[in-house]
């Protein structure tokens, strides 16, 4: 480690620095909590006040809009009162009548008069007066005006004359016999005739908008003209609020509502009569911007104050704890032997003086104890040097003592092992953790520990060892443990060879019947969790002539070659088995039937491709295979084997060199 890193590590472990950091942390936490509480309260109060103001603004806008609609309806009513049937029947008279209504024509985008049958008699807009052949009888607002005999406000709809989105206000003209005509005025939504002055256009970057919709959420007025006649639920800044309004029964509330919308302050108010809704929204970020700017300024000031207080605190603690620094420097040489145990201790009063005297006494007692330990260890070393097994004394995670046989087994010197940790002997963290758990479990039961582990020598090689350990003191395990070590590499290899031979065919190296039976029984016993799985039986074709003509040596070589071909076609987790003679099997886990059929066919073709040179020719064999999948109702391993064997027999009967499924399988 470089001197700079050492100094940094020392500084981070300094008591003065830690006390200073603790004080600063308490100061920062206190100031931070107070600031957060105050700013959070201020933000909540600001949003609460803004919501109330927005409700008032929405209600005021809705009231103005309601009065404007009433004024427009009254203007139509006053004119309709003067429209008599004679004027309606005379084209010249009705034209003069419309020309004499400049105020009414300025209030509407266009005016029209239609008979009770729906025929439009006259139409007036900014271009002049015309008589288009238009029938209004299919318009809902027109039919309702006739049926109810009162003024109506239509839903937003495209004009029959211009095709633009409009709202139509109507007034019936009636006589003693009933309604004989309907006077109507249209307001272009794109021209803002009705809503001018109530909904201010905003720039694309503005955070506040005012929108007017009908009771179904269709937009009548919007700062963005392209949103006219669209649905408010498609507006990202109002979609949540609109959904909440609908969930509450779509109330048309003139006094205003506050509605939830992430990141926005949304209010809405109803317009009585036409049942429109005025929506207002402002971004919370814009409302809280002054508070957040103030928070940034306060944070900068707090950081400067904390930095100044931290420097002052560190200087004060440095002067206060200087005697402790001197004591620390002496304590660093407590165990290295550079100074006599009773020399070099600082003279101080108070707690630091008491600590200095205690450490001085500890140093003297430790020196005496080390002399005694050295004498005991010398005697123990003589005994351990003559022992025919590896012996080590372990305390904590370090080796305190090892004998010559231990050094020979682990291919290192005594100094190498005293510098190593116990963990270094094990090949992985998992092995070491498992060993420690087993050892502690044995000690808790009052027993010695014995186990076999693959250990790592100093030169990097590995070997299997029998390791035994016993605590020096059963009550105080901190006293350490005694290890004994023996090399069992040869015994381990012999045992593994015997275990392998018990489950594998000695000629081909494939699994034998015993391994097959265990694996198959596991799959059947785990039903239905083990599905899908399949069993493939393979019987060699034309193998007997190989034995008869070339001899058993050639037959054995052919079986070995076929086993290699089979193993090359199966998956890593599949079990390839020599059942005996020229019969083989595959146990395929997690394998659907179609995949098993494909693997069986791959094996068949691989065996067909085997060509064994022998004397003047080539020895060849073929294969017939039967496939039986495991089912939830498979009763036993024998039943499964019987199904696969029947399928293999069917392949033989079909002319050999083919693959067949067990009866009832869906290929």
């Amino acid at each position: 480690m470089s001197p700079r890193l050492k100094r940094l590590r020392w500084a981070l472990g300094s008591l003065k620095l830690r006390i200073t950091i603790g004080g600063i942390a308490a100061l920062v936490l206190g100031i931070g909590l107070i600031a957060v509480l105050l700013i959070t309260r201020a933000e909540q109060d600001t949003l609460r006040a803004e919501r109330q103001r927005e409700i008032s603004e929405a209600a005021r806008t809705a009231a103005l809009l309601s009065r404007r609609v009433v004024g427009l309806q009254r203007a139509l009513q006053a004119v309709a009162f003067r429209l008599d049937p004679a004027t309606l029947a005379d084209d010249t008279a009705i034209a003069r009548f419309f020309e004499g209504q400049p105020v009414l024509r300025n209030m509407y985008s266009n005016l029209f008069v239609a008979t009770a049958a729906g025929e439009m008699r006259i139409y007036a807009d900014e271009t002049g007066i015309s008589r288009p052949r238009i029938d209004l009888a299919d318009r809902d607002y027109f039919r309702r005006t006739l049926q109810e005999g009162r003024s109506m406000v239509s839903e937003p709809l495209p004009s029959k004359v211009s095709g633009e989105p409009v709202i139509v206000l109507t007034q019936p003209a009636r006589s003693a016999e009933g309604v004989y005509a309907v006077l109507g005025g249209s307001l272009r939504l794109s021209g803002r005739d009705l809503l001018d002055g109530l909904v201010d256009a905003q720039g694309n970057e503005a955070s506040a908008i005012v929108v007017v919709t009908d009771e179904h959420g269709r937009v009548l007025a919007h700062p963005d003209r392209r949103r006219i006649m669209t649905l408010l639920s498609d507006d990202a800044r109002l979609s949540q609020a609109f959904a909440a309004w609908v969930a509450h029964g779509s109330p048309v509330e003139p006094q205003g509502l506050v509605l939830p919308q992430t990141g926005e302050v949304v209010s809405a108010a109803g317009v009585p009569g036409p049942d429109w809704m005025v929506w207002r929204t402002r971004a919370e970020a814009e409302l809280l911007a002054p508070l957040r700017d103030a928070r940034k300024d306060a944070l900068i000031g707090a950081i400067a104050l904390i930095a100044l207080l931290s420097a002052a605190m560190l200087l004060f603690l440095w002067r206060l704890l200087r005697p402790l620094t001197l004591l620390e420097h002496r304590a660093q040489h407590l165990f290295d032997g550079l100074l006599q145990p009773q020399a070099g201790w600082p003279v101080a009063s108070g707690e630091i003086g008491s600590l200095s005297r205690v450490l001085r006494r500890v140093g003297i007692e430790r020196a005496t104890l080390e002399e005694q330990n050295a004498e005991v260890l010398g005697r123990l070393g003589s005994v351990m040097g003559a022992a025919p097994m590896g012996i080590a004394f372990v305390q904590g995670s370090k080796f305190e003592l090892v004998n010559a046989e231990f050094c020979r087994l682990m291919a290192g010197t005594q100094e190498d092992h005293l510098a190593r940790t116990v963990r270094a002997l094990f090949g992985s963290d998992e092995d070491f953790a498992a060993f420690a758990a087993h050892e502690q479990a044995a000690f808790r039961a009052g027993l010695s520990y014995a186990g076999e582990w693959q250990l790592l020598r100093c030169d990097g090689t590995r070997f299997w060892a029998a390791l035994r350990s016993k605590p020096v003191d059963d009550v105080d395990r901190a006293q350490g443990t005694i290890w004994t070590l023996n090399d069992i590499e040869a015994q381990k290899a012999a045992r593994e060879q015997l275990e392998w031979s018990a489950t594998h065919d000695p000629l081909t190296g494939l699994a034998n019947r015993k391994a097959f039976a265990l694996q198959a029984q596991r799959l059947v016993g785990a039903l239905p969790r083990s599905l899908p799985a399949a069993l493939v039986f393979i019987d060699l074709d034309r193998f007997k002539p190989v034995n008869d003509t070339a001899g058993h040596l050639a037959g054995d070589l052919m079986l070995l070659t076929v086993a290699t071909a089979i193993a090359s076609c199966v998956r890593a987790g599949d079990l390839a088995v020599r059942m005996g003679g020229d019969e083989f099997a595959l146990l395929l886990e997690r394998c659907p039937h179609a995949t098993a059929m494909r693997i069986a066919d791959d094996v068949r073709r691989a065996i067909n491709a085997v060509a064994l040179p022998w004397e003047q020719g080539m020895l060849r064999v073929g294969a017939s295979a039967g496939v039986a999948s495991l089912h939830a109702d498979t009763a036993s391993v024998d039943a499964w084997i019987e199904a696969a064997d029947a399928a293999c027999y069917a392949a033989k009967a079909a002319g050999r060199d083919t693959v067949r499924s067990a009866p009832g399988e869906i290929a």
Side-chain angles (χ1 to χ4, degrees):
M1 184 181 294
S2 66
R4 179 178 297 177
L5 289 177
K6 289 182 179 178
R7 288 194 298 271
L8 177 61
R9 189 172 181 180
W10 174 85
L12 292 176
S14 169
L15 179 61
K16 298 186 289 293
L17 183 60
R18 282 184 285 172
I19 294 175
T20 303
I21 291 174
I24 294 171
L27 189 63
V28 169
L29 182 61
I31 294 174
L33 286 175
I34 292 172
V36 168
L37 290 175
L38 291 177
I39 291 172
T40 302
R41 180 65 178 271
E43 289 181 350
Q44 292 173 349
D45 291 345
T46 300
L47 291 176
R48 189 180 301 110
E50 186 60 30
R51 289 190 181 98
Q52 291 302 318
R53 193 187 74 80
E54 285 296 307
I55 290 176
S56 299
E57 285 296 315
R60 185 187 66 82
T61 303
L64 289 174
L65 187 54
S66 178
R67 287 196 291 272
R68 183 167 296 184
V69 171
V70 171
L72 289 168
Q73 288 175 325
R74 287 178 177 174
L76 278 179
Q77 186 179 17
V79 172
F81 181 74
R82 299 196 301 273
L83 181 63
D84 55 70
T87 302
L88 179 64
D90 189 336
D91 290 346
T92 303
I94 196 171
R96 284 198 306 270
F97 179 83
F98 262 56
E99 289 174 354
Q101 306 298 329
V103 175
L104 187 62
R105 291 178 63 179
N106 285 334
M107 295 173 71
Y108 288 93
S109 303
N110 57 74
L111 294 169
F112 65 87
V113 175
T115 67
E119 177 190 358
M120 186 178 289
R121 292 284 292 122
I122 193 166
Y123 178 85
D125 58 13
E126 67 272 9
T127 63
I129 295 175
S130 61
R131 293 181 177 80
R133 290 183 171 275
I134 293 176
D135 184 7
L136 299 179
D138 60 338
R139 292 292 198 183
D140 180 66
Y141 69 85
F142 185 82
R143 291 196 302 268
R144 291 181 60 196
T145 303
L146 294 176
Q147 293 169 0
E148 301 179 21
R150 63 183 180 86
S151 59
M152 289 287 173
V153 179
S154 76
E155 62 183 6
L157 45 77
S159 170
K160 280 200 171 187
V161 177
S162 64
E164 296 180 278
V166 296
I167 291 175
V168 180
L169 282 72
T170 62
Q171 178 65 37
R174 64 173 65 243
S175 64
E177 289 78 15
V179 177
Y180 58 85
V182 174
L183 174 63
S186 300
L187 300 170
R188 289 193 303 269
L189 297 182
S190 59
R192 304 169 61 83
D193 295 327
L194 173 62
L195 309 173
D196 191 25
L198 299 179
V199 182
D200 297 326
Q202 304 288 338
N204 290 335
E205 299 300 323
S207 63
I209 62 172
V210 181
V211 179
V212 179
T213 67
D214 66 4
E215 60 184 326
H216 303 296
R218 281 177 295 186
V219 176
L220 307 181
H222 197 287
D224 184 355
R225 303 291 180 86
R226 295 170 298 182
R227 301 303 303 273
I228 301 298
M229 295 291 285
T230 63
L231 294 176
L232 191 64
S233 57
D234 296 332
D235 192 323
R237 294 186 64 181
L238 288 165
S239 58
Q240 293 179 15
F242 178 74
W245 177 69
V246 172
H248 283 82
S250 306
V252 181
E253 175 55 61
Q255 300 302 317
L257 304 165
V258 174
L259 296 168
Q261 178 74 34
T262 303
E264 302 281 341
V265 175
V266 177
S267 60
V271 180
D275 288 344
W276 295 341
M277 289 295 294
V278 175
W279 303 81
R280 289 179 58 88
T281 179
R282 293 190 65 187
E284 289 184 0
E286 179 191 25
L287 299 172
L288 300 178
L291 288 175
R292 290 170 181 171
D293 291 340
R295 178 170 57 188
K296 185 185 300 182
D297 294 339
L299 179 62
I300 294 173
I303 291 174
L305 178 61
I306 290 170
L308 182 61
L309 292 175
S310 301
M313 185 183 298
L314 188 61
L315 179 61
F316 172 74
L317 290 173
W318 180 81
R319 293 179 61 84
L320 183 65
L321 299 177
R322 180 168 176 77
L324 185 61
T325 302
L326 298 176
L327 180 60
E328 177 190 358
H329 291 162
R330 175 59 185 88
Q332 289 175 349
H333 300 289
L334 184 61
F335 305 125
D336 57 13
L338 296 177
L339 297 174
Q340 291 297 320
Q342 57 272 58
W345 295 98
V347 178
S349 60
E351 292 85 350
I352 296 177
S354 298
L355 181 59
S356 176
R357 289 189 292 274
V358 169
L359 291 176
R360 179 174 177 273
R361 185 170 64 253
V362 168
I364 294 173
E365 292 177 355
R366 182 180 183 279
T368 302
L369 185 61
E370 284 182 346
E371 292 177 0
Q372 296 173 354
N373 286 342
E375 182 179 353
V376 172
L377 289 175
R379 296 173 182 173
L380 182 60
S382 300
V383 175
M384 293 177 63
M389 65 182 66
I391 302 175
F393 174 64
V394 179
Q395 192 166 30
S397 61
K398 301 280 290 184
F399 291 105
E400 296 291 336
L401 185 66
V402 294
N403 71 346
E405 180 63 14
F406 187 95
C407 294
R408 186 192 68 78
L409 289 174
M410 299 306 300
T413 64
Q414 188 175 49
E415 290 74 17
D416 292 335
H417 296 300
L418 296 182
R420 297 178 84 192
T421 63
V422 173
R423 160 65 186 87
L425 268 65
F426 293 85
S428 67
D429 291 335
E430 292 76 11
D431 282 357
F432 177 64
F435 159 74
H438 292 320
E439 183 185 51
Q440 291 303 315
F443 290 173
R444 282 194 297 270
L447 304 172
S448 299
Y449 169 75
E452 296 180 357
W453 294 94
Q454 191 176 46
L455 302 182
L456 187 65
R457 294 188 176 99
C458 291
D459 60 6
T461 59
R462 299 171 185 265
F463 75 105
W464 280 95
L467 191 157
R468 294 178 177 272
S469 65
K470 178 177 176 56
V472 173
D473 188 326
D474 291 332
V475 177
D476 184 9
R477 295 176 191 164
Q479 294 296 321
T481 57
I482 300 295
W483 281 19
T484 60
L485 213 64
N486 287 300
D487 185 347
I488 59 167
E489 187 73 20
Q491 298 95 308
K492 181 78 173 178
R495 189 165 66 238
E496 288 179 352
Q497 179 60 37
L498 287 175
E499 291 173 354
W500 186 90
S501 299
T503 57
H504 287 76
D505 176 54
L507 173 62
T508 62
L510 299 181
N512 61 13
R513 276 184 174 272
K514 178 181 179 181
F516 167 79
L518 291 173
Q519 190 81 329
Q521 184 59 51
R522 180 181 64 81
L523 292 176
V524 172
L527 285 172
R529 297 189 310 276
S530 56
L531 298 178
L535 176 59
V536 180
F537 264 29
I538 304 164
D539 193 2
L540 297 187
D541 301 330
R542 303 183 303 277
F543 177 72
K544 187 174 183 303
V546 173
N547 267 339
D548 293 343
T549 59
H552 289 288
L553 179 60
D556 289 349
L557 185 57
M558 177 60 76
L559 291 175
L560 181 60
T561 307
V562 167
T564 303
I566 292 174
S568 69
C569 297
V570 297
R571 304 169 302 176
D574 297 334
L575 183 69
V577 185
R578 183 188 178 196
M579 301 296 287
D582 61 348
E583 294 180 351
F584 297 84
L586 300 177
L587 200 55
L588 309 177
E589 296 189 45
R590 299 299 170 197
C591 184
H593 188 75
T595 303
M597 290 291 291
R598 177 184 57 77
I599 293 174
D601 195 58
D602 290 344
V603 169
R604 180 191 62 78
R605 286 188 279 106
I607 294 174
N608 282 343
V610 170
L612 185 65
W614 194 263
E615 296 181 353
Q616 302 302 319
M618 304 292 286
L619 299 178
R620 296 180 181 275
V621 294
S624 298
V627 181
S629 286
L630 184 63
H631 298 285
D633 58 354
T634 299
S636 64
V637 173
D638 290 340
W640 195 11
I641 293 174
E642 185 178 346
D645 193 41
C648 186
Y649 181 79
K652 287 280 191 183
R656 304 175 183 270
D657 192 24
T658 187
V659 178
R660 288 290 185 270
S661 293
E665 299 285 358
I666 300 176

